[in-house]
Amino acid sequence: MIRIGISGWTYAPWRGVFFPENLPQKRELEYASRQVQTIEINGSFYSLQRPSSYQAWYEATPMQFVFSIKGSRFITHLRRLKEVEKPLANFLASGVLRLREKLGPFLWQLPPNFVYDRERLEAFFQLLPRRSDEAAALGRRHDNRLRFRAWTQPGGIRSLRHALEVRHESFENKAFIELLRRHQIALVVSDGGGKWPLLEDVTADFVYVRLHGAEELYASGYTEAALDTWAGKIRRWARSGDVFVYFDNDQKVHAPFDAIALRRRLNTGRWDRKREPELHGVR
């Protein structure tokens, strides 16, 4: 299974460029989810979302659509993976399980100044739930901040996947790769235009790719040749497992069009602005 998508969808510069001019903002997810196969929810990185939001996102998207969820920066950047059992419980109780079968991998992004620390990483990996019922059980240990808005029903028993994005050169070592493989955590293939290490080791039964910009971080697009190169890599990775790819070069509206162009190369779908015109109310 190859899924090509975008990181987030609520961006003002996209309106009238990727999104039709007359499309109401509240229907942007509905539209975007008909053009790409998966979307990375990144609002969850900045703050705890609400169960009602996850339910609304579930209802706005087609069957077989998949979301990935970016883990809370309170866990990764503020606590830096130390003493995070309660924050992790809060995160899991915030509503992520309302995505049910549309819940894809969890993305945990470490800050650029986070240096490889085997003991801290291993302790965090051991906390991560690997099934939806385990996530629900941990979520029930949330604190009082979520007392009136927690969601801790598993919505069926499903496997959960986790991916880790690193940005410090100290992670370029064999011991780190072996640690990921032992815990079945996917190493994120993170293209940051040379700003941080580009590691491509396969460490789990799936590959998670984030394309932040070929040259200028979050801003530059990918050339035809670059997309051909990524398509070749993705085909190779797909021989042994699922592949999730997210374009995060959103500032100049490259992300959705690069995602569509890559889908076309991989024969996983095509974009058509006239597709389902009743969906967005424009003619």
Side-chain angles (χ1 to χ4, degrees), residues 5-279:
I6 51 180
S7 180
W9 68 89
T10 307
Y11 303 108
W14 291 21
R15 293 165 192 152
V17 181
F18 171 62
F19 294 122
E21 290 185 2
N22 298 326
L23 181 69
Q25 184 176 343
K26 65 181 180 180
R27 304 194 73 181
E28 290 176 348
L29 173 60
E30 188 178 358
Y31 180 84
S33 65
R34 271 70 177 178
Q35 315 304 329
V36 297
Q37 302 156 302
T38 182
I39 290 178
E40 190 179 80
I41 295 175
N42 53 26
S44 53
F45 175 71
Y46 298 100
S47 63
L48 294 176
Q49 305 298 299
R50 292 181 175 273
S52 57
S53 296
Y54 286 103
Q55 181 63 31
W57 298 333
Y58 178 91
E59 294 173 356
T61 51
M63 293 178 60
Q64 300 183 348
F65 191 81
V66 171
F67 291 98
S68 67
I69 312 294
K70 191 171 182 181
S72 168
R73 65 176 176 176
F74 184 77
I75 294 172
T76 56
H77 287 55
L78 299 181
R79 286 290 182 87
R80 300 174 71 85
L81 306 187
K82 294 176 63 177
E83 300 178 353
V84 294
E85 185 171 347
K86 189 65 69 174
L88 181 59
N90 288 345
F91 177 73
L92 294 170
S94 66
V96 296
L97 295 174
R98 294 202 76 168
L99 293 177
R100 301 189 289 281
E101 76 279 2
K102 296 182 181 181
L103 176 58
F106 288 93
L107 164 68
W108 303 97
Q109 176 194 300
L110 299 181
N113 62 353
F114 190 110
V115 177
Y116 174 64
D117 183 327
R118 179 185 176 279
E119 291 184 1
R120 194 181 305 183
L121 288 169
E122 188 151 38
F124 177 63
F125 294 163
Q126 290 171 348
L127 279 178
L128 295 175
R130 304 312 175 100
R131 301 195 324 180
S132 55
D133 57 337
E134 294 174 359
L138 180 53
R140 294 186 191 109
R141 300 167 70 174
H142 65 81
D143 62 25
N144 286 336
R145 285 177 294 176
L146 275 75
R147 182 172 50 177
F148 299 113
R149 64 178 184 95
W151 184 267
T152 57
Q153 300 301 315
I157 308 302
R158 298 181 179 85
S159 297
L160 300 180
R161 289 165 155 176
H162 300 272
L164 183 71
E165 183 175 28
V166 300
R167 296 185 170 182
H168 192 274
E169 60 186 12
S170 63
F171 287 91
E172 297 183 84
N173 71 76
K174 185 177 180 181
F176 170 58
I177 301 304
E178 291 175 348
L179 179 65
L180 291 175
R181 286 177 176 152
R182 186 161 63 253
H183 289 275
Q184 279 293 291
I185 305 290
L187 171 63
V188 174
V189 179
S190 181
D191 180 25
K195 298 292 184 181
W196 50 71
L198 175 59
L199 307 177
E200 299 184 6
D201 300 82
V202 177
T203 60
D205 62 354
F206 73 107
V207 174
Y208 196 111
V209 183
R210 304 189 81 210
L211 303 177
H212 300 283
E215 298 173 356
E216 185 182 357
L217 200 60
Y218 309 125
S220 64
Y222 286 82
T223 64
E224 298 289 316
L227 291 174
D228 288 340
T229 297
W230 282 109
K233 292 181 180 182
I234 291 164
R235 289 190 188 97
R236 291 193 294 274
W237 289 324
R239 293 171 188 163
S240 57
D242 297 340
V243 184
F244 297 83
V245 182
Y246 297 96
F247 283 89
D248 190 32
N249 52 339
D250 55 76
Q251 291 181 359
K252 296 183 180 179
V253 206
H254 289 298
F257 296 108
D258 283 347
I260 290 160
L262 184 58
R263 285 187 66 184
R264 210 175 278 133
R265 284 165 169 76
L266 294 165
N267 296 317
T268 61
R270 66 186 184 86
W271 180 53
D272 183 357
R273 185 179 284 280
K274 295 181 180 180
R275 183 181 175 191
E276 301 183 45
E278 70 280 5
L279 175 70

